[in-house]
Amino acid sequence: MSRETPAAALLPSEVPVRFLAEDGTRADEHGGYAEPPSDRLVEAYRLMVLGRRFDAQATALTKQGRLAVYPSSAGQEACQVASALALTEADWLFPTYRDSVALVARGLEPGEILTLLRGDAHCGYDPATTRVAPQCTPLATQTLHAAGLAHAMQRRGEDAVAFALIGDGATSEGDFHEALNFAAVFKAPVVFFVQNNGFAISVPFEKQSAAPALAYKGVGYGVRSEQVDGNDAVAVLSVLDDAVAHARAGRGPVLVEAHTYRIDAHTNADDATRYRDQAEVEKWRAADPVRRLETYLTGRNLLSDNDIERFRAEAETFAAGVRDTLNADVEPDPMSLFEHVYAVPTRQLAAQRALVAAELEAVEG
Amino acid sequence: MSRETPAAALLPSEVPVRFLAEDGTRADEHGGYAEPPSDRLVEAYRLMVLGRRFDAQATALTKQGRLAVYPSSAGQEACQVASALALTEADWLFPTYRDSVALVARGLEPGEILTLLRGDAHCGYDPATTRVAPQCTPLATQTLHAAGLAHAMQRRGEDAVAFALIGDGATSEGDFHEALNFAAVFKAPVVFFVQNNGFAISVPFEKQSAAPALAYKGVGYGVRSEQVDGNDAVAVLSVLDDAVAHARAGRGPVLVEAHTYRIDAHTNADDATRYRDQAEVEKWRAADPVRRLETYLTGRNLLSDNDIERFRAEAETFAAGVRDTLNADVEPDPMSLFEHVYAVPTRQLAAQRALVAAELEAVEG
Amino acid sequence: MTEISMAQALNAALRDAVKDDDRVLIFGEDVGPLGGVFRVTDGITADFGEERCFDTPLAESGIVGFAVGMAMGGFRPVVEMQFDAFAYPAFEQITSHVAKLRNRTRGALSLPMVIRIPYAGGIGGVEHHCDSSEAYYTHTPGLRVVTPGTPQDAYDLLRDSIDSPDPVIFLEPKCRYWSKEPVSFTRDGAPMDRAVVRREGKDVTLIAYGPMVATALETAEAAKAEGWDVEVVDLRSLSPFDDETVTASVRRTGRAVVVHEAAGFGGYGAEVVARVTEQCFHQLHAPVLRVTGLDIPYPPPKLERHQLPDVDRILDTVARLQWNDEPVVAGA
Amino acid sequence: MTEISMAQALNAALRDAVKDDDRVLIFGEDVGPLGGVFRVTDGITADFGEERCFDTPLAESGIVGFAVGMAMGGFRPVVEMQFDAFAYPAFEQITSHVAKLRNRTRGALSLPMVIRIPYAGGIGGVEHHCDSSEAYYTHTPGLRVVTPGTPQDAYDLLRDSIDSPDPVIFLEPKCRYWSKEPVSFTRDGAPMDRAVVRREGKDVTLIAYGPMVATALETAEAAKAEGWDVEVVDLRSLSPFDDETVTASVRRTGRAVVVHEAAGFGGYGAEVVARVTEQCFHQLHAPVLRVTGLDIPYPPPKLERHQLPDVDRILDTVARLQWNDEPVVAGA
Ligand SMILES: Cc1ncc(C[n+]2csc(CCOP(=O)(O)OP(=O)(O)O)c2C)c(N)n1
Ligand SMILES: Cc1ncc(C[n+]2csc(CCOP(=O)(O)OP(=O)(O)O)c2C)c(N)n1
Ligand SMILES: [Mg+2]
Ligand SMILES: [Mg+2]
């Protein structure tokens, strides 16, 4: 019964941590958190502009049939960019399908980020070198991998943490529970970051959970927890910096919930009008994270019109690059199907490869 | 974000609820809980005596080869008896393999309780008429069934709750998390009662969880929670009565954790000396729930030596009955194997039944 | 009879079941107001209320385990797993409870519940959205496993599954959701545990189910050009298996090919081969062959055509059925 | 060579692997101080420290998912699922991640991990403790599945599995844990993906694995009395399958019976029948038959003898292999 940390120390603040009001002025409901240095905030702003443009471009590419499907991060840029900024290159990031903007902010190649959704391969980048796990579709499963990898790094004395992204809906899966518990018991250096964007496809948060907030789950595992206004980049960055530092210092895992909103439909293929009011969307548009940070930074003279212009131009160039990459036709090699099922193809697979090769030859004449 | 119940209202009391000190005197760390009426306490005592004797008898029967295996409830009698007493006949009980004493207290036939462990059939009693689900082995899976059944009863407006027993180790399984969440979201009338007996086979609670206590899990689901001294029958009964009343009144699920101890090894087949000190066991023997309640009740003149004698005699007779039942040889009918795989046996199974029947005939001549 | 798609036929079956039986409840992820990602439950919440068709938290083991409890409590749950691979979290509940509860309680409790699973590929889905997982379920005694190949069967089999006192794994071939035909709602089709001969032929039997029924029928047409008269058997019920219909066909034709999308190794087709061979050994002119998915994780969209059995691959296999051999002398 | 039990051979393999390779870690439920419920990890924590062999929280999906992360991070986890049916909670992790990670990342990440699963029955275990779950894993591309039938193979196969760059499902036949033989630790046995002929014979091939290898050998002895000279092939590797060894045997004998404990329908034996039949059709005097568990949930202890293939049931099946028939004319 006598446990290291008293329960109260694990509970999140009662209201989400906030530095900025919706209009971009200071709100200062941030408890003891420190405001991140301004160069980090400007960098966050730059990446959020980039991310938003990337996101719009990706959605446009679905209309042109260049991407099979795209789950937009619009509205969640503060969360996604802060996730990348809170980490070093040595840290591991575990994204879901929704977290393309976090991968952009991490510096991955846009073409490689979109490989999965374009249908070329299951994962476009090299997880070993980027230290970014494959974008994960089976919900919540990646949180366990993050806990395990964090523990592996901890055993080896590496100065690195694992950072797992997860949606509100996915927190209902058993794997999330098991991951929190394993992380806590092994005191693994891992941060679980829940982007509560209000929906799991069509299911609103009210039907997902009856908890006061998802951040209240941590105490049940002995995991320090926090909740934050997910559309306030200053707050998200501050809280995540702190969480990562906590994990990095060997003080155990942290659970952070960001309250945000999925502005677009679940994916381009989804029709959100079937299950939610446009009025709600508009309400959240008013809390737009990019504009909010922009107002704050310009108000404090940390960002000039010139900077804004420059960042937008950079984003346009970036988007053009994405377009070009995605417009180039790539035909994945059918023989690759057989290469990485096992370290060395089995006799059985060699035979099947021969069959497919013969078919291709027959077709190609 | 605005939720029905503020987080603080869901949290358990900081120390486990207690009415009795280990020596059987009043302790009164019981917050606002009411002491159950004395006739219920005497009944609890009677059943605890009965349960303990039953338990010893079952363990003895394993030595004689009459039972394949038996997981003892010794030390957990307060929890198990209170579980049965807190329920009406209309309520459903979901036991695990460890909860034989709860089933004895519920009034099930001892022979039917032991059918599973004797190896005759997977479930000895009729769950539909007893409203006791089969003793569950796949850990934590039954908590979801309890939530679903509670919701079914709620839909039909039945005045009944479901009551799920679960061990400390099993709370680590994903299903427990999903069950708490489903129960909370549907506001199902179900009580989850964790008997934290300190071990999951050989794994001590410290390796199972880093939480301040398992009862702290409730808040993360919006589930009211409590923790109680599991060796204090007065406290357990009081807290469970309250929890069941809460659920019955339509106010949603409740999670209760009892802090208790598994006095015997995991089962007769286990060797607990491999992983724990006898000193720890002795410490907990001093907190024995039966003696504690006995001291309290005799001290308050609610229990006479005569009563104690009578209850012990009753328990002896009961144990003799168990012995007789288990010593009678029962040969389950091999043809029964094919009867309840589907509502009506398939052609395939009919053919297999014929095969086995032919084999039996050949053997029997 | 109006022409409707398989998704619409399933929707009609659900509606009619909800109408006819108060105990029928539909739940799962996004089956409520959204109507499911494939619109199979479209409009049911609007028309029958959230009481009858509702969204749950996002947890498949939870959905199935909760349904077990509700079925124990007298309801007839029809739950949806959003995609094949997303039913795996429920595997323990399905295998250790759904399949076994009747048996464990010697008939005292039955679990009339249906687990609907959109399965298989062919729609350009990304990883984990295209598994053919039937073999996991068919190997589990206590489950019924059915899969429609046509809109009419989608209606009939789903109605029968909901009425079944046994739990049913209902596998919906995603790539056929939009295929159309006139559908009657009179429920006078074959019983749910019977296979049907979809096309008669005398030279060789193609045994198919779910997504591959249409492919088998196409192949049968194409085979005419090769001079082969192909019979097509649609299994419908994968478990139990209708030996009678299948072996009768194979005995007539003397040759058979089993077709499925799932990986071949340890796939459902192996069972078909094994039992047909055992029962028809002396009538077979050639071994029963299989055309199946490759033994690899389901490929990314741009490569999935190599995974899927198609007319050519099936015809190539039919061609290997020793048409020109002398009658085979065993042991030779 | 000292005579040791299969459990001891497994223990020796784990110890030697831990000794030889710093990256090897053993974890799971009760594998630490207790040494596992079957004592397979006995004394390893005491001898190598908790660093190398430790208990985890009780959650199988957690154990496997955590192991995936550790393997991504450079370790070689060897995890234990306490019993067959208790691996089902990990089914999603196994199927969607363990089996696929190498493929999904085009070789960038490999998962050298071993999932040890005590399986099958014959020890009087209660429900959920006796499942033969091999078919679920063998049908999943990307996994290797092996199972020893002897103490020597227990040692050799487990060492090879731990060294394998691919994830391995290592199935341990519970009822053989206590069987003994002299075991050499020199690792000069057959490669892990090969079957072996355990006993030569010329009339019929019994194909067995895991718990049934000993039963097949007993049957071969008993068959002498009937005048049958029985060859016994022990598969060892269920996936990949060693076609070469098996078909060579069946071509020699012309008759085969596959034996396993798992339910027959959709069981692993069906795959063996299908591929052997395809490859040896003209050499077969009779269809390849199966002796398997019944298609029912595993029975309670007092009835389990009816579930398990035994010498008599196998001999009865061998007797059905058309010994007295004229050479079969196909199509007759
Ligand atoms: C195990 C599993 N079940 C179901 C799905 C299908 N699915 C994909 S996304 C999604 C909703 C996820 O919601 P949330 O976790 O809130 O993340 P968001 O999409 O809002 O970012 C669902 C149900 C899945 N991918 N995996
Ligand atoms: C899913 C699952 N995994 C593993 C087991 C094996 N097992 C049986 S009891 C047990 C320990 C359970 O501990 P706890 O939940 O604390 O209950 P207790 O036995 O202490 O009452 C384990 C690991 C199981 N029955 N089910
Ligand atoms: Mg969401
Ligand atoms: Mg316990």
Side-chain angles (χ1 to χ4, degrees):
Chain A
M1 276 301 306
S2 75
R3 291 306 177 114
E4 255 174 58
T5 327
L10 303 168
L11 290 166
S13 48
E14 265 176 53
V15 293
V17 173
R18 249 195 184 198
F19 282 79
L20 304 185
E22 291 196 1
D23 62 5
T25 58
R26 283 287 291 225
D28 286 338
E29 292 153 354
H30 57 70
Y33 287 94
E35 176 165 339
S38 27
D39 58 333
R40 278 170 71 69
L41 296 180
V42 172
E43 176 64 356
Y45 174 78
R46 183 183 73 82
L47 289 168
M48 284 164 70
V49 169
L50 193 72
R52 174 157 297 181
R53 185 63 190 85
F54 167 87
D55 198 82
Q57 184 58 62
T59 296
L61 284 163
T62 61
K63 303 212 173 86
Q64 293 145 36
R66 284 284 163 187
L67 277 180
V69 65
Y70 182 73
S72 164
S73 321
Q76 303 179 213
E77 292 87 354
C79 296
Q80 304 226 345
V81 166
S83 298
L85 286 184
L87 303 180
T88 70
E89 275 190 14
D91 297 331
W92 270 83
L93 177 65
F94 287 78
T96 76
Y97 52 88
R98 172 139 354 259
D99 303 308
S100 296
V101 167
L103 303 199
V104 168
R106 172 98 177 166
L108 267 60
E109 287 299 324
E112 295 185 350
I113 295 169
L114 296 173
T115 299
L116 168 72
L117 301 169
R118 183 191 198 179
D120 291 354
H122 301 311
C123 180
Y125 46 89
D126 179 343
T129 56
T130 55
R131 295 207 160 208
V132 178
Q135 291 135 305
C136 191
T137 302
L139 296 168
T141 54
Q142 79 282 8
T143 56
L144 278 164
H145 309 162
L149 189 40
H151 181 56
M153 298 190 294
Q154 170 187 32
R155 280 185 169 253
R156 254 201 298 274
E158 286 180 34
D159 179 24
V161 307
F163 189 97
L165 291 162
I166 180 169
D168 46 308
T171 65
S172 296
E173 294 278 7
D175 273 8
F176 179 59
H177 166 81
E178 301 188 12
L180 282 168
N181 193 38
F182 270 70
V185 166
F186 290 97
K187 232 178 162 187
V190 53
V191 174
F192 301 103
F193 183 40
V194 182
Q195 292 175 76
N196 182 347
N197 63 4
F199 287 89
I201 307 186
S202 70
V203 181
F205 183 62
E206 302 79 69
K207 291 188 187 168
Q208 198 62 246
S209 170
L214 292 171
Y216 282 92
K217 288 197 189 300
V219 63
Y221 305 90
V223 170
R224 215 195 105 196
S225 304
E226 191 51 280
Q227 56 179 331
V228 60
D229 181 334
N231 286 20
D232 173 353
V234 182
V236 179
L237 192 55
S238 173
V239 167
L240 290 184
D241 277 348
D242 182 76
V244 168
H246 179 97
R248 201 184 299 286
R251 295 167 61 212
V254 184
L255 168 66
V256 178
E257 177 188 19
H259 300 275
T260 181
Y261 195 79
R262 196 194 73 207
I263 291 290
D264 284 352
H266 174 65
T267 68
N268 56 296
D270 177 38
D271 173 7
T273 63
R274 295 176 76 102
Y275 54 80
R276 71 181 183 188
D277 275 351
Q278 196 51 28
E280 184 184 274
V281 182
E282 294 314 322
K283 197 197 99 207
W284 278 91
R285 271 195 206 283
D288 181 51
V290 182
R291 198 176 42 237
R292 204 194 289 193
L293 182 59
E294 185 180 298
T295 310
Y296 178 63
L297 292 177
T298 51
R300 288 190 56 206
N301 290 324
L302 295 168
L303 190 72
S304 66
D305 286 355
N306 205 7
D307 294 332
I308 296 176
E309 207 41 60
R310 190 157 42 84
F311 295 160
R312 291 201 182 142
E314 183 199 348
E316 281 309 322
T317 313
F318 189 78
V322 173
R323 248 182 344 258
D324 291 349
T325 309
L326 272 283
N327 281 331
D329 282 308
V330 182
E331 270 315 304
D333 176 13
M335 291 304 105
S336 70
L337 287 174
F338 305 96
E339 256 156 52
H340 302 294
V341 183
Y342 298 95
V344 176
T346 59
R347 283 179 296 271
Q348 200 172 306
L349 281 177
Q352 296 180 18
R353 182 174 50 201
L355 175 92
V356 173
E359 284 179 350
L360 288 170
E361 233 168 76
V363 170
E364 284 154 17
Chain B
M1 275 300 305
S2 75
R3 289 313 177 109
E4 252 174 59
T5 327
L10 302 169
L11 290 166
S13 47
E14 266 176 53
V15 292
V17 173
R18 248 196 187 198
F19 282 78
L20 305 184
E22 290 195 2
D23 62 5
T25 58
R26 284 286 292 224
D28 286 337
E29 291 154 356
H30 55 69
Y33 288 94
E35 176 167 338
S38 27
D39 58 333
R40 277 169 72 71
L41 296 180
V42 173
E43 176 65 356
Y45 174 78
R46 184 184 73 84
L47 288 168
M48 285 164 69
V49 170
L50 193 72
R52 174 156 296 179
R53 186 62 191 85
F54 167 87
D55 199 81
Q57 183 58 61
T59 295
L61 285 163
T62 61
K63 303 213 172 89
Q64 294 146 33
R66 284 284 161 185
L67 277 181
V69 64
Y70 181 74
S72 163
S73 321
Q76 303 178 215
E77 292 86 354
C79 296
Q80 302 226 346
V81 166
S83 297
L85 286 184
L87 305 180
T88 69
E89 276 192 12
D91 298 331
W92 268 84
L93 178 64
F94 286 78
T96 76
Y97 51 88
R98 179 149 337 270
D99 302 308
S100 296
V101 167
L103 303 199
V104 168
R106 172 98 176 167
L108 267 62
E109 287 299 322
E112 295 185 351
I113 296 169
L114 295 173
T115 298
L116 168 73
L117 301 170
R118 182 190 199 180
D120 292 352
H122 300 312
C123 181
Y125 46 87
D126 179 343
T129 55
T130 56
R131 296 206 158 208
V132 178
Q135 289 135 307
C136 191
T137 302
L139 296 167
T141 54
Q142 79 282 8
T143 56
L144 279 164
H145 308 163
L149 189 41
H151 182 55
M153 296 191 294
Q154 170 186 34
R155 279 184 171 253
R156 253 203 296 276
E158 287 180 32
D159 178 25
V161 308
F163 189 96
L165 291 163
I166 180 170
D168 47 306
T171 66
S172 295
E173 295 279 6
D175 273 8
F176 179 59
H177 166 81
E178 301 188 12
L180 281 168
N181 194 37
F182 270 70
V185 165
F186 290 96
K187 233 180 162 185
V190 52
V191 175
F192 300 103
F193 183 41
V194 181
Q195 291 175 75
N196 182 346
N197 62 6
F199 287 89
I201 306 187
S202 71
V203 181
F205 184 62
E206 303 79 68
K207 292 190 186 167
Q208 198 63 247
S209 169
L214 293 171
Y216 283 91
K217 289 198 188 301
V219 64
Y221 306 88
V223 170
R224 216 194 104 196
S225 303
E226 191 52 278
Q227 55 179 331
V228 59
D229 180 334
N231 287 18
D232 173 352
V234 182
V236 180
L237 192 56
S238 173
V239 167
L240 290 184
D241 277 348
D242 182 74
V244 168
H246 181 96
R248 201 185 298 286
R251 295 166 61 210
V254 184
L255 168 66
V256 178
E257 177 188 20
H259 301 277
T260 180
Y261 194 77
R262 196 194 72 206
I263 291 290
D264 284 351
H266 175 66
T267 67
N268 56 296
D270 178 38
D271 172 8
T273 64
R274 295 175 79 101
Y275 53 81
R276 71 180 184 189
D277 276 351
Q278 196 52 28
E280 184 184 275
V281 182
E282 295 313 321
K283 198 196 99 208
W284 278 92
R285 271 193 207 283
D288 181 52
V290 183
R291 199 178 39 239
R292 204 195 288 193
L293 183 59
E294 185 180 297
T295 309
Y296 177 64
L297 292 177
T298 49
R300 289 191 57 208
N301 290 322
L302 294 167
L303 191 70
S304 65
D305 286 356
N306 203 4
D307 294 332
I308 297 177
E309 208 40 59
R310 191 158 40 88
F311 294 160
R312 290 200 183 142
E314 183 199 349
E316 281 310 321
T317 312
F318 189 78
V322 173
R323 250 183 343 259
D324 290 347
T325 309
L326 272 283
N327 280 331
D329 283 306
V330 182
E331 270 316 303
D333 176 12
M335 292 304 105
S336 70
L337 288 173
F338 305 96
E339 257 156 50
H340 303 295
V341 183
Y342 297 95
V344 176
T346 59
R347 281 180 295 271
Q348 203 171 303
L349 280 178
Q352 296 180 17
R353 182 175 49 198
L355 176 92
V356 173
E359 285 179 349
L360 288 170
E361 233 167 78
V363 171
E364 286 156 16
Chain C
M1 294 203 296
T2 49
E3 186 162 277
I4 58 173
S5 71
M6 183 181 286
Q8 288 167 325
L10 294 167
N11 185 274
L14 291 171
R15 285 169 179 270
D16 289 349
V18 165
K19 229 179 289 167
D20 288 0
D21 187 342
D22 277 353
R23 297 167 304 173
V24 173
L25 300 176
I26 299 165
F27 55 95
E29 296 158 10
D30 303 294
V31 298
L34 180 64
V37 294
F38 292 107
R39 303 291 183 266
V40 170
T41 56
D42 194 21
I44 300 185
T45 300
D47 294 344
F48 297 90
E50 270 222 80
E51 278 298 296
R52 306 300 299 280
C53 177
F54 52 93
D55 292 325
T56 65
L58 207 171
E60 294 77 10
S61 188
I63 292 167
V64 173
F66 198 72
V68 167
M70 295 202 63
M72 285 170 69
F75 287 92
R76 302 181 88 92
V78 182
V79 301
E80 177 177 301
M81 304 280 98
Q82 202 159 77
F83 285 85
D84 30 69
F86 307 145
Y88 300 154
F91 198 70
E92 181 188 32
Q93 285 288 350
I94 293 174
T95 307
S96 294
H97 288 296
V98 175
K100 296 187 172 71
L101 195 69
R102 171 186 295 281
N103 185 259
R104 295 171 67 213
T105 61
R106 290 179 288 177
L109 295 178
S110 66
L111 285 185
M113 57 185 277
V114 178
I115 303 178
R116 293 181 37 243
I117 310 180
Y119 81 124
I123 60 161
V126 299
E127 54 169 5
H128 309 297
H129 289 76
C130 306
D131 282 17
S132 289
S133 35
E134 63 271 24
Y136 300 135
Y137 306 113
T138 51
H139 182 51
T140 306
L143 299 176
R144 289 181 181 271
V145 184
V146 303
T147 181
T150 65
Q152 180 67 59
D153 263 3
Y155 182 83
D156 289 339
L157 287 173
L158 187 49
R159 293 296 315 266
D160 288 355
S161 297
I162 296 172
D163 288 349
S164 167
D166 299 316
V168 179
I169 304 291
F170 191 89
L171 298 168
E172 302 176 1
K174 281 181 215 92
C175 67
R176 306 295 175 198
Y177 270 140
W178 304 278
S179 66
K180 291 193 170 188
E181 73 177 1
V183 171
S184 113
F185 304 121
T186 49
R187 303 189 66 181
D188 43 17
M192 77 178 274
D193 57 358
R194 301 311 296 246
V196 298
V197 175
R198 285 256 171 253
R199 181 190 195 280
E200 296 191 357
K202 57 184 186 357
D203 295 334
V204 52
T205 303
L206 289 187
I207 303 168
Y209 55 89
M212 283 295 124
V213 171
T215 310
L217 289 168
E218 263 181 76
T219 306
E221 281 308 304
K224 282 192 204 158
E226 314 280 334
W228 294 316
D229 186 15
V230 174
E231 177 144 315
V232 174
V233 175
D234 175 355
L235 292 180
R236 303 167 82 251
S237 173
L238 304 187
S239 179
F241 182 83
D242 179 359
D243 287 294
E244 212 176 306
T245 305
V246 176
T247 57
S249 170
V250 176
R251 284 201 191 95
R252 273 194 305 273
T253 60
R255 288 180 171 85
V257 172
V258 190
V259 186
H260 63 61
E261 260 193 57
F265 193 79
Y268 183 76
E271 177 62 37
V272 180
V273 173
R275 54 200 307 121
V276 168
T277 304
E278 175 171 352
Q279 295 172 59
C280 309
F281 190 68
H282 294 301
Q283 287 85 22
L284 285 174
H285 300 291
V288 179
L289 297 180
R290 291 178 282 174
V291 184
T292 69
L294 305 163
D295 293 319
I296 61 174
Y298 197 88
K302 285 210 186 143
L303 293 173
E304 74 174 333
R305 66 183 180 284
H306 303 291
Q307 176 72 2
L308 301 173
D310 61 7
V311 170
D312 285 344
R313 222 176 254 177
I314 301 172
L315 285 178
D316 287 351
T317 305
V318 170
R320 285 172 49 219
L321 291 172
Q322 313 186 351
W323 299 94
N324 306 316
D325 285 12
E326 294 303 298
V328 172
V329 178
Chain D
M1 295 203 297
T2 48
E3 184 161 279
I4 59 172
S5 71
M6 183 181 285
Q8 288 168 327
L10 294 167
N11 184 274
L14 292 171
R15 284 169 179 271
D16 289 350
V18 164
K19 229 179 288 167
D20 287 359
D21 187 340
D22 277 353
R23 298 168 301 172
V24 173
L25 301 176
I26 299 166
F27 54 95
E29 297 158 10
D30 304 294
V31 298
L34 181 64
V37 294
F38 292 107
R39 302 293 183 267
V40 170
T41 57
D42 194 22
I44 300 185
T45 301
D47 294 345
F48 297 90
E50 269 223 81
E51 278 298 296
R52 306 299 299 281
C53 178
F54 51 93
D55 292 324
T56 64
L58 206 172
E60 293 77 11
S61 188
I63 292 167
V64 172
F66 198 72
V68 167
M70 296 204 62
M72 286 170 68
F75 286 93
R76 301 181 88 93
V78 183
V79 300
E80 177 178 301
M81 304 280 99
Q82 203 159 77
F83 285 85
D84 29 70
F86 307 145
Y88 300 153
F91 197 71
E92 180 187 33
Q93 285 287 348
I94 294 174
T95 307
S96 292
H97 289 296
V98 174
K100 297 188 171 73
L101 195 70
R102 171 184 297 279
N103 184 259
R104 294 171 65 211
T105 62
R106 291 179 288 178
L109 296 177
S110 67
L111 285 185
M113 59 185 276
V114 178
I115 303 177
R116 294 180 38 241
I117 310 180
Y119 80 123
I123 60 160
V126 297
E127 55 168 4
H128 310 296
H129 289 75
C130 305
D131 281 17
S132 289
S133 35
E134 64 271 24
Y136 300 135
Y137 306 113
T138 52
H139 182 52
T140 305
L143 299 175
R144 288 182 182 271
V145 184
V146 303
T147 181
T150 65
Q152 182 65 59
D153 263 2
Y155 182 83
D156 289 339
L157 286 173
L158 186 49
R159 291 299 312 267
D160 288 355
S161 296
I162 295 172
D163 287 350
S164 168
D166 300 314
V168 180
I169 304 290
F170 191 89
L171 298 169
E172 304 176 359
K174 279 182 218 100
C175 67
R176 305 296 174 197
Y177 271 140
W178 303 278
S179 66
K180 291 193 169 188
E181 72 177 0
V183 170
S184 115
F185 304 121
T186 50
R187 301 189 67 180
D188 43 17
M192 78 178 274
D193 57 358
R194 301 310 296 245
V196 299
V197 175
R198 286 255 171 250
R199 180 189 197 280
E200 296 189 358
K202 57 182 186 359
D203 294 333
V204 53
T205 303
L206 287 187
I207 304 168
Y209 55 89
M212 284 293 123
V213 172
T215 310
L217 289 168
E218 262 181 77
T219 306
E221 281 309 303
K224 283 191 203 160
E226 314 281 331
W228 294 316
D229 187 14
V230 174
E231 177 145 314
V232 175
V233 176
D234 175 356
L235 292 180
R236 302 169 81 251
S237 173
L238 304 188
S239 177
F241 182 84
D242 179 358
D243 286 293
E244 215 175 303
T245 305
V246 176
T247 57
S249 171
V250 177
R251 284 200 191 94
R252 272 195 305 274
T253 59
R255 289 183 171 83
V257 172
V258 190
V259 186
H260 64 58
E261 259 193 59
F265 193 78
Y268 182 75
E271 178 61 37
V272 180
V273 173
R275 55 201 305 123
V276 168
T277 304
E278 176 170 353
Q279 296 172 58
C280 308
F281 191 68
H282 295 301
Q283 287 84 20
L284 285 174
H285 301 292
V288 180
L289 297 180
R290 293 178 280 174
V291 184
T292 68
L294 306 164
D295 293 318
I296 60 174
Y298 197 88
K302 286 212 186 142
L303 293 173
E304 76 174 333
R305 66 183 180 284
H306 303 291
Q307 176 72 1
L308 301 173
D310 61 7
V311 171
D312 285 342
R313 222 176 254 177
I314 301 172
L315 284 180
D316 286 350
T317 305
V318 170
R320 285 171 48 218
L321 291 173
Q322 312 183 353
W323 298 93
N324 305 317
D325 285 10
E326 294 303 299
V328 172
V329 179

